[in-house]
Amino acid sequence: AKNPNDQSGGASGNTTLTKDEQGMVATMQREEEEFKRAEQILKSAILSNPELSGFANQITIDRTPEGLRIQIIDQDKFSMFPSGGAVPYERARDLMLMVGKVVARLPNNISVTGHTDGTPFAAGSSRDNWTLSTERANVSRQYLVQAGVDEKRVARIAGLADRDPFAPDPKDPRNRRISIVLLRQSIPPVDVTPSSAAPVNPGGIEP
């Protein structure tokens, strides 16, 4: 009779990984630890800063198949940019610089994406939300580089207008946001799906 503990025989029982597979697993594990560390550093940096801790709910961090996603989002009483503009307010600039300092510590390439709400420009305007979201993404890239991120690590910038909303209501201010993704260097596991975005300062955590 075959020893039930013997997994050496037959393809179905062979769980030995090749060197390439072992290397991929090790890279994925190392990368996940780096993501966790970056998340904790960013949370601590914001919550320990008296000038920025009140804006902790404007930053959400989650995982996507692409990598670690950091989003700076608008709220009713906080806007990153003036309406229709691409020059950030001072607090938004400070948040971007702080995020950039954390992102600069990791080797991953990044993507920067701008999003708007569904409010259209006036009829006849030469600009629209596609233009605006792209401008805001590019300005955000510039602040990340200013904070120390190597420009060569910027894999892409994009403006998605209102086509990828954060909330279902097209006028919800949270739809206006900047998404910064630390792109995975390894192939993500099959069970990695976008997690629910949680604010840096969730219930129970006081600045």
Side-chain angles (χ1 to χ4, degrees), residues 82-97:
S83 179
V87 178
Y89 290 118
E90 182 179 359
R91 285 291 181 265
R93 181 201 66 196
D94 291 344
L95 283 173
M96 289 180 195
L97 290 172

Side-chain angles (χ1 to χ4, degrees), residues 54-139:
F55 298 93
N57 285 333
Q58 271 60 64
I59 292 187
T60 66
I61 304 172
D62 63 353
R63 304 288 199 285
T64 74
E66 279 198 314
L68 180 70
R69 179 172 59 183
I70 303 166
Q71 299 192 93
I72 307 176
I73 62 176
D74 279 7
Q75 298 279 11
D76 286 331
K77 297 182 180 180
F78 173 86
S79 292
M80 286 182 286
F81 302 91
S83 179
V87 178
Y89 290 118
E90 182 179 359
R91 285 291 181 265
R93 181 201 66 196
D94 291 344
L95 283 173
M96 289 180 195
L97 290 172
M98 182 170 288
V99 170
K101 290 176 181 178
V102 175
V103 170
R105 301 185 185 193
L106 298 177
N108 306 67
N109 286 342
I110 65 172
S111 69
V112 185
T113 306
H115 304 265
T116 68
D117 61 19
T119 304
F121 277 73
S125 174
S126 62
R127 301 173 69 241
D128 55 24
N129 282 331
W130 292 102
T131 304
L132 180 62
S133 57
T134 303
E135 290 172 348
R136 290 177 174 179
N138 192 42
V139 167

Side-chain angles (χ1 to χ4, degrees), residues 7 9-10 16 19 44-46 49 60 69 82 89 93 111 113 115 120 130 142-143 165 171 173 182 185 192 206:
Q7 297 185 0
T16 303
K19 284 188 176 181
S44 297
I46 293 173
N49 187 318
T60 66
R69 179 172 59 183
Y89 290 118
R93 181 201 66 196
S111 69
T113 306
H115 304 265
W130 292 102
Q142 293 170 358
Y143 279 106
K171 299 296 180 66
L182 284 157
Q185 296 176 313
V192 170
E206 295 295 334

